[in-house]
Short mmCIF file of all heavy atoms in Angstrom, two decimals:
data_model
loop_
_atom_site.label_atom_id
_atom_site.label_comp_id
_atom_site.label_asym_id
_atom_site.label_seq_id
_atom_site.Cartn_x
_atom_site.Cartn_y
_atom_site.Cartn_z
N PRO R 76 57.01 132.41 164.63
CA PRO R 76 57.24 131.04 163.98
C PRO R 76 57.48 129.95 165.01
O PRO R 76 57.26 128.78 164.68
CB PRO R 76 58.48 131.32 163.11
CG PRO R 76 59.09 132.49 163.63
CD PRO R 76 58.06 133.35 164.30
N LEU R 77 57.92 130.31 166.21
CA LEU R 77 58.30 129.29 167.11
C LEU R 77 57.21 128.93 168.16
O LEU R 77 57.36 128.09 169.00
CB LEU R 77 59.59 129.58 167.87
CG LEU R 77 60.75 130.04 166.89
CD1 LEU R 77 61.95 130.46 167.68
CD2 LEU R 77 61.06 128.92 165.87
N PHE R 78 56.07 129.74 168.06
CA PHE R 78 54.97 129.47 168.96
C PHE R 78 54.16 128.31 168.45
O PHE R 78 54.25 127.88 167.28
CB PHE R 78 54.00 130.67 169.09
CG PHE R 78 54.61 131.85 169.82
CD1 PHE R 78 56.01 131.86 170.12
CD2 PHE R 78 53.87 132.95 170.11
CE1 PHE R 78 56.61 132.90 170.78
CE2 PHE R 78 54.49 134.07 170.75
CZ PHE R 78 55.80 134.01 171.09
N THR R 79 53.25 127.75 169.30
CA THR R 79 52.35 126.66 168.78
C THR R 79 51.41 127.29 167.81
O THR R 79 51.10 126.64 166.81
CB THR R 79 51.54 126.01 169.95
OG1 THR R 79 51.27 126.99 170.90
CG2 THR R 79 52.42 124.95 170.60
N ASP R 80 50.89 128.49 168.12
CA ASP R 80 50.01 129.17 167.15
C ASP R 80 50.92 129.97 166.23
O ASP R 80 51.07 131.20 166.43
CB ASP R 80 49.04 130.13 167.90
CG ASP R 80 48.24 130.92 166.96
OD1 ASP R 80 47.97 130.46 165.78
OD2 ASP R 80 47.88 132.02 167.31
N ALA R 81 51.58 129.37 165.25
CA ALA R 81 52.53 130.05 164.46
C ALA R 81 51.99 130.96 163.44
O ALA R 81 51.00 130.63 162.71
CB ALA R 81 53.42 128.98 163.82
N HIS R 82 52.53 132.10 163.38
CA HIS R 82 52.18 133.10 162.28
C HIS R 82 53.48 133.47 161.54
O HIS R 82 54.52 133.67 162.18
CB HIS R 82 51.51 134.37 162.80
CG HIS R 82 50.15 134.09 163.27
ND1 HIS R 82 49.10 134.23 162.38
CD2 HIS R 82 49.63 133.84 164.39
CE1 HIS R 82 47.93 133.97 163.07
NE2 HIS R 82 48.22 133.76 164.28
N PHE R 83 53.37 133.61 160.22
CA PHE R 83 54.60 133.97 159.45
C PHE R 83 54.36 135.17 158.64
O PHE R 83 54.29 135.14 157.44
CB PHE R 83 54.97 132.75 158.57
CG PHE R 83 55.22 131.47 159.31
CD1 PHE R 83 54.20 130.58 159.53
CD2 PHE R 83 56.43 131.19 159.82
CE1 PHE R 83 54.42 129.44 160.22
CE2 PHE R 83 56.71 130.04 160.51
CZ PHE R 83 55.71 129.15 160.71
N GLY R 84 54.31 136.42 159.23
CA GLY R 84 54.13 137.57 158.47
C GLY R 84 55.48 138.31 158.39
O GLY R 84 55.91 138.94 159.31
N ILE R 85 56.08 138.23 157.17
CA ILE R 85 57.45 138.82 156.94
C ILE R 85 57.38 140.31 157.18
O ILE R 85 58.40 141.00 157.46
CB ILE R 85 58.04 138.39 155.56
CG1 ILE R 85 59.57 138.71 155.49
CG2 ILE R 85 57.33 139.10 154.44
CD1 ILE R 85 60.39 137.82 156.29
N GLY R 86 56.22 140.89 156.99
CA GLY R 86 56.03 142.35 157.13
C GLY R 86 56.52 142.89 158.50
O GLY R 86 57.07 143.96 158.63
N VAL R 87 56.36 142.01 159.53
CA VAL R 87 56.74 142.41 160.91
C VAL R 87 58.34 142.61 160.87
O VAL R 87 58.78 143.66 161.38
CB VAL R 87 56.42 141.26 161.87
CG1 VAL R 87 56.83 141.71 163.23
CG2 VAL R 87 54.94 141.04 161.86
N LEU R 88 59.03 141.70 160.27
CA LEU R 88 60.52 141.83 160.27
C LEU R 88 60.87 142.95 159.29
O LEU R 88 61.91 143.65 159.59
CB LEU R 88 61.15 140.53 159.87
CG LEU R 88 60.93 139.33 160.76
CD1 LEU R 88 61.60 138.07 160.22
CD2 LEU R 88 61.45 139.61 162.19
N LEU R 89 60.15 143.03 158.18
CA LEU R 89 60.49 144.13 157.22
C LEU R 89 60.38 145.46 157.86
O LEU R 89 61.10 146.42 157.57
CB LEU R 89 59.60 144.00 156.02
CG LEU R 89 60.09 143.11 154.84
CD1 LEU R 89 59.02 142.99 153.79
CD2 LEU R 89 61.36 143.66 154.29
N SER R 90 59.37 145.63 158.78
CA SER R 90 59.18 147.02 159.38
C SER R 90 60.37 147.35 160.21
O SER R 90 60.85 148.52 160.25
CB SER R 90 57.86 146.99 160.28
OG SER R 90 58.13 146.41 161.49
N GLY R 91 60.90 146.34 160.92
CA GLY R 91 62.22 146.66 161.68
C GLY R 91 63.35 146.98 160.75
O GLY R 91 64.09 148.00 160.99
N THR R 92 63.49 146.27 159.66
CA THR R 92 64.53 146.52 158.75
C THR R 92 64.37 147.88 158.09
O THR R 92 65.32 148.70 158.02
CB THR R 92 64.54 145.44 157.63
OG1 THR R 92 64.81 144.19 158.19
CG2 THR R 92 65.55 145.70 156.57
N LEU R 93 63.11 148.18 157.73
CA LEU R 93 62.79 149.52 157.08
C LEU R 93 63.12 150.66 158.00
O LEU R 93 63.81 151.63 157.62
CB LEU R 93 61.27 149.51 156.68
CG LEU R 93 60.87 150.56 155.71
CD1 LEU R 93 61.52 150.15 154.36
CD2 LEU R 93 59.38 150.58 155.59
N THR R 94 62.67 150.57 159.28
CA THR R 94 62.86 151.66 160.26
C THR R 94 64.36 151.86 160.49
O THR R 94 64.86 153.01 160.44
CB THR R 94 62.14 151.39 161.53
OG1 THR R 94 60.87 150.95 161.25
CG2 THR R 94 62.09 152.59 162.45
N SER R 95 65.08 150.78 160.82
CA SER R 95 66.51 150.99 161.19
C SER R 95 67.27 151.51 159.91
O SER R 95 68.08 152.34 160.00
CB SER R 95 67.12 149.70 161.64
OG SER R 95 66.97 148.71 160.73
N SER R 96 66.90 150.98 158.73
CA SER R 96 67.63 151.44 157.47
C SER R 96 67.36 152.94 157.21
O SER R 96 68.24 153.69 156.82
CB SER R 96 67.18 150.64 156.28
OG SER R 96 67.46 149.29 156.48
N ALA R 97 66.07 153.30 157.46
CA ALA R 97 65.68 154.72 157.21
C ALA R 97 66.47 155.62 158.10
O ALA R 97 66.98 156.70 157.65
CB ALA R 97 64.18 154.87 157.40
N ILE R 98 66.62 155.31 159.37
CA ILE R 98 67.40 156.16 160.33
C ILE R 98 68.83 156.15 159.86
O ILE R 98 69.48 157.25 159.81
CB ILE R 98 67.32 155.60 161.74
CG1 ILE R 98 65.93 155.56 162.25
CG2 ILE R 98 68.18 156.46 162.66
CD1 ILE R 98 65.75 154.69 163.45
N ALA R 99 69.37 155.02 159.51
CA ALA R 99 70.76 154.98 159.09
C ALA R 99 70.97 155.89 157.92
O ALA R 99 71.96 156.62 157.82
CB ALA R 99 71.19 153.50 158.71
#
Side-chain angles (χ1 to χ4, degrees):
Chain R
L77 308 180
F78 292 8
T79 36
D80 174 32
H82 285 275
F83 302 91
I85 193 73
V87 180
L88 298 180
L89 270 175
S90 80
T92 296
L93 198 69
T94 312
S95 56
S96 303
I98 300 166

